[in-house]
Amino acid sequence: MSYKLFSNLSEDQIESDVASFLGYVTPFWSSRFRLMSVDEQITGADKLFDRFVPIYLQFKVSEGLKPISPPELPKFNVPLQRVRKLRFDNGLTGDPILYFKLREKAKTATEFQHNLLLQFHKPPRQFAFYVAPLTLDINEYNELLKVSLFERLIIADPFRVHPSDIYHRGFKESLGTIPFLRAHVSIPPFEKVTSAEHHYSFSKNGADIAWHRGVRQYGDFRLSTQIPAIFRTAYNNDRVAFSKQEFVETFNETDFGVNDSNENIDRKIYNFANFLYSNFRIRLFLLGINERSF
């Protein structure tokens, strides 16, 4: 397909880099908030926070498409051509057009990964997103991970200052300026599906999102916008957050690999997160809120 552009990134690399970076911007000395990947760190979690906001992330590799160049319009009898036509018909930008396809249902799964994400996406208490880079090139992607000298000298993100500084000086907005976070799109699921033959597409700046059942989505879906928005919600009204017991009660323990009712609550959350990752490649993060740090 001469109109398709291939990425030299991998889903595993994107997942590893984003998960590591989210840990980097929320270091262990954060006294008020911390964003943790549950499958990597659960030991002692009860000492780190009292309440939390769950964030479910599914990482995708972006592929590329050349935009349609009229008047020589191609035949639209294959899915990727239909992606191009929908964007052309709706005047959506993209040179290249970036997109990703939904994951097929696993052989042992009873549900599509997409529908699980839809089930978990219930703002403002919990969130679920597809996360994909806004580049096809590994060298460009790796450059985004580098920290500038200015950033090393003047650190002003909300997880590195005292809570009173966050509130009074507005440092909670600075997450939105981090280049690596700005270079990822983070799209929530929009509706239930009965097959994996659906695509999300977007422009290289993370705008003009289209869901290919003919629906255009409006808004800023960059990760640098979504994470601070969740942060602000938790900061301004931490009662939206779950206690551990409340969270466990939101999922059917048997359906999600939490089979021993005698396990402690941390282990139940860990087993739930591990089940999601092992079976659906959905990674659970917790934005922990330590109420005792006020």
Side-chain angles (χ1 to χ4, degrees), residues 246-278:
E246 288 173 332
F247 180 60
V248 168
E249 291 171 358
T250 65
F251 57 84
N252 186 313
E253 296 182 19
T254 303
D255 291 345
F256 289 103
V258 186
N259 299 315
D260 187 353
S261 60
N262 294 320
E263 289 181 333
N264 67 56
I265 199 160
D266 284 353
R267 179 54 57 177
K268 287 182 178 181
I269 295 173
Y270 175 84
N271 287 347
F272 172 60
N274 189 57
F275 181 87
L276 289 179
Y277 186 73
S278 299

Side-chain angles (χ1 to χ4, degrees), residues 5-25:
L5 305 171
F6 294 91
S7 172
N8 56 6
L9 290 162
S10 73
E11 187 175 292
D12 286 341
Q13 177 189 0
I14 295 163
E15 176 184 322
S16 176
D17 287 343
V18 174
S20 297
F21 196 89
L22 290 177
Y24 160 75
V25 300

Side-chain angles (χ1 to χ4, degrees), residues 9-290:
L9 290 162
S10 73
E11 187 175 292
D12 286 341
Q13 177 189 0
I14 295 163
E15 176 184 322
S16 176
D17 287 343
V18 174
S20 297
F21 196 89
L22 290 177
Y24 160 75
V25 300
T26 58
F28 69 89
W29 60 81
S30 171
S31 61
R32 178 68 176 87
F33 292 92
R34 192 172 183 204
L35 190 61
M36 300 185 302
S37 176
V38 177
D39 59 342
E40 291 185 348
Q41 184 170 359
I42 191 65
T43 304
D46 57 331
K47 299 178 182 178
L48 296 175
F49 59 82
D50 301 300
R51 302 178 68 84
F52 56 85
V53 176
I55 304 171
Y56 300 86
L57 299 182
Q58 209 290 302
F59 299 94
K60 305 291 290 187
V61 172
S62 299
E63 301 288 353
L65 298 170
K66 295 178 181 178
I68 293 173
S69 300
E72 296 181 1
L73 298 180
K75 295 181 180 179
F76 302 104
N77 56 358
V78 294
L80 294 183
Q81 290 285 40
R82 291 195 291 269
V83 171
R84 298 172 76 208
K85 184 177 188 301
L86 182 141
R87 297 189 69 84
F88 175 78
D89 290 345
N90 287 275
L92 299 179
T93 61
D95 189 5
I97 298 166
L98 300 182
Y99 76 94
F100 59 79
K101 180 181 177 296
L102 300 192
R103 183 184 294 271
E104 297 287 345
K105 185 190 292 186
K107 292 181 179 179
T108 57
T110 59
E111 185 58 278
F112 287 97
Q113 175 198 70
H114 177 88
N115 291 340
L116 276 182
L117 287 174
L118 180 64
Q119 174 184 330
F120 296 143
H121 187 60
K122 297 178 180 179
R125 300 206 71 188
Q126 58 184 47
F127 301 83
F129 302 109
Y130 290 102
V131 175
L134 296 173
T135 179
L136 305 176
D137 181 68
I138 191 171
N139 293 322
E140 181 181 358
Y141 187 77
N142 287 336
E143 281 294 315
L144 294 167
L145 284 166
K146 295 181 179 179
V147 180
S148 69
L149 178 61
F150 175 79
E151 290 174 302
R152 293 191 190 119
L153 294 175
I154 304 176
I155 300 172
D157 75 67
F159 293 96
R160 295 177 183 271
V161 294
H162 191 272
S164 62
D165 292 331
I166 297 174
Y167 184 79
H168 292 294
R169 302 181 189 180
F171 280 159
K172 59 181 176 292
E173 305 296 335
S174 65
L175 273 176
T177 68
I178 297 175
F180 185 74
L181 297 183
R182 291 171 67 88
H184 288 82
V185 70
S186 51
I187 310 174
F190 296 132
E191 60 183 353
K192 193 170 184 177
V193 301
T194 56
S195 81
E197 294 304 314
H198 300 284
H199 298 76
Y200 284 99
S201 72
F202 39 94
S203 62
K204 203 169 185 296
N205 63 2
D208 291 333
I209 307 293
W211 164 241
H212 291 99
R213 290 171 57 132
V215 181
R216 177 180 180 178
Q217 302 295 325
Y218 295 89
D220 186 345
F221 291 94
R222 291 171 299 173
L223 192 58
S224 59
T225 301
Q226 301 285 13
I227 294 296
I230 296 171
F231 176 89
R232 286 193 299 271
T233 298
Y235 190 93
N236 294 327
N237 181 13
D238 63 5
R239 303 312 299 179
V240 305
F242 287 98
S243 68
K244 293 180 182 180
Q245 184 60 44
E246 288 173 332
F247 180 60
V248 168
E249 291 171 358
T250 65
F251 57 84
N252 186 313
E253 296 182 19
T254 303
D255 291 345
F256 289 103
V258 186
N259 299 315
D260 187 353
S261 60
N262 294 320
E263 289 181 333
N264 67 56
I265 199 160
D266 284 353
R267 179 54 57 177
K268 287 182 178 181
I269 295 173
Y270 175 84
N271 287 347
F272 172 60
N274 189 57
F275 181 87
L276 289 179
Y277 186 73
S278 299
N279 291 274
F280 298 98
R281 291 300 296 269
I282 296 172
R283 176 168 277 192
L284 172 61
F285 290 78
L286 303 180
L287 175 60
I289 301 171
N290 188 343

